[in-house]
Amino acid sequence: TDSQLYSCGSLAPKLRKGGAGRIGCSSCDVNREKSPWEATDGCVYLIREVVVRCASPESPTPLADEILLPMLRELADVCRVQHFPQSDDLRTTLWRNLPGMAEALGKQRFKRLYLDVFQNLLFSSLDARSSSQLSQHAAGQCAEELADLVGRTIFRARLEDDQRDTLDRVLRERAAMPAGPADGAVFSPFGPPGLLDHIHKGTVHPGVAGMTRGTAP
């Protein structure tokens, strides 16, 4: 048809507020109440920011362990419940944010007071067969980062025997994962670096080479 398409491929004006359909990505009428778990998920990010900004004694508004420790214990207790479908997503958010909180608290302080708060929950997530792959990956990365912060030998010594086996498995799996892009590497939509180096050597169609140089065929 001759109708204008928008970025999502929809006929946006037709579906906007006041339009005939009142549905779709451009509608201003689609709304729902926030679910309790979504509010809690947002609170995880808020707590992370509080810890990062206020954990240091040099902070303009420092918070002592008498305030932070009960707050993080309650966070762990909330993330431990599993009676709602999105509980796995909530724990995923926790595992993504915990290493940043641990780093802000510092090695000695986190190891002494806070590691035990999350240890069993973390390894429960790693061992749970019902956990999503996203949650498993986040928990594995969290375990690796916490082990590196505390020291792998010290971290491993704090674990139960079955938890040590789980940690060893997770670290092996993560070590076998493909390495990411090298530092300073620039993403190109044309593929890996060097893929089109042969263009200027005349080995492709002149029209294609001209397009990549920004000139007409």
Side-chain angles (χ1 to χ4, degrees):
T1 68
D2 294 331
S3 301
Q4 182 177 356
L5 290 178
Y6 289 75
S7 59
C8 62
S10 66
L11 303 176
K14 178 180 178 182
L15 302 178
R16 279 204 297 254
K17 182 177 181 181
R22 290 178 179 267
I23 58 175
C25 65
S26 296
S27 172
C28 298
D29 290 339
V30 177
N31 198 5
R32 63 174 177 81
E33 292 294 325
K34 179 168 54 179
S35 298
W37 84 267
E38 292 173 315
T40 306
D41 191 81
C43 285
V44 177
Y45 291 98
L46 180 60
I47 291 173
R48 191 271 312 276
E49 290 302 313
V50 169
V51 173
V52 168
R53 294 174 183 272
C54 302
S56 172
E58 289 76 26
S59 169
T61 54
L63 294 179
D65 294 318
E66 289 76 11
I67 297 175
L68 291 176
L69 187 55
M71 182 169 60
L72 293 184
R73 281 175 176 161
E74 186 171 355
L75 174 62
D77 289 340
V78 169
C79 292
R80 192 171 284 113
V81 298
Q82 303 185 34
H83 64 275
F84 57 98
Q86 299 86 1
S87 62
D88 215 32
D89 298 330
L90 182 58
R91 284 185 289 276
T92 300
T93 300
L94 173 63
W95 304 139
R96 287 173 173 171
N97 287 277
L98 184 59
M101 291 189 274
E103 185 174 354
L105 288 165
K107 172 182 176 179
Q108 297 298 332
R109 189 177 176 190
F110 178 78
K111 178 181 66 173
R112 178 168 49 89
L113 294 174
Y114 296 88
L115 177 58
D116 289 342
V117 174
F118 297 98
Q119 176 179 315
N120 289 336
L121 179 58
L122 175 60
F123 282 89
S124 176
S125 291
L126 289 169
D127 288 329
R129 296 186 177 183
S130 60
S131 295
S132 66
Q133 289 187 352
L134 194 61
S135 179
Q136 289 271 345
H137 176 79
Q141 182 171 343
C142 178
E144 183 179 37
E145 292 185 25
L146 294 183
D148 289 339
L149 173 67
V150 173
R152 294 198 175 189
T153 302
I154 298 174
F155 186 80
R156 197 171 183 277
R158 299 284 294 269
L159 305 179
E160 304 290 340
D161 290 341
D162 57 332
Q163 293 175 341
R164 292 192 191 102
D165 294 339
T166 299
L167 177 65
D168 292 342
R169 171 181 59 79
V170 167
L171 293 180
R172 285 196 304 269
E173 291 173 353
R174 294 191 60 78
M177 293 173 62
D183 292 342
V186 178
F187 171 78
S188 169
F190 300 107
L195 181 65
L196 300 181
D197 287 350
H198 58 283
I199 285 177
H200 302 291
K201 298 178 182 179
T203 56
V204 297
H205 190 280
V208 176
M211 291 172 61
T212 60
R213 297 190 195 103
T215 59

